[in-house]
Amino acid sequence: MSARIFQTPKSAMQSGKAKTDTWVLEFARSEALRLDPLMGWSGSGDTQSQVRLTFPDKDAAKAYAEKYGIPARVHSTPVKGLKLQAYADNFR
């Protein structure tokens, strides 16, 4: 039962940085998805993959994983760089 810890990315529908300061601990799948023969929906018996725990910072998420003996990988968020450009640069 391994997990990954990552910072929530911003939605594609938003331009601001709201709700991007929380960290998430998400469990990896232990069982592959299988198709339901009647309806064709995909599903599995793995209920642990449905659990998403949120934390205020990365250290709290790591401490939780260590406390309960969960092997976790931390995915750091890449640094965003601003591309400063003037309107006149569109016509050069």
Side-chain angles (χ1 to χ4, degrees):
M1 176 173 78
S2 64
R4 69 183 185 123
I5 298 172
F6 61 95
Q7 193 172 16
T8 53
K10 72 175 199 164
S11 168
M13 299 302 293
Q14 73 186 52
S15 61
K17 296 180 182 177
K19 299 183 183 177
T20 59
D21 56 345
T22 59
W23 287 80
V24 177
L25 185 139
E26 188 176 63
F27 292 98
R29 286 198 183 277
S30 62
E31 184 179 310
L33 292 175
R34 60 182 180 275
L35 290 176
D36 181 65
L38 180 62
M39 298 298 291
W41 296 340
S42 60
S44 72
D46 181 24
T47 58
Q48 200 68 316
S49 64
Q50 299 173 3
V51 176
R52 287 184 61 148
L53 302 173
T54 58
F55 297 93
D57 58 356
K58 178 173 57 171
D59 296 329
K62 286 171 57 176
Y64 179 86
E66 289 174 4
K67 179 180 177 182
Y68 291 102
I70 301 168
R73 295 183 323 263
V74 178
H75 296 276
S76 60
T77 306
V79 178
K80 297 275 184 175
L82 292 176
K83 181 181 175 187
L84 298 176
Q85 137 181 12
Y87 180 70
D89 293 339
N90 294 331
F91 303 104
R92 291 184 185 167

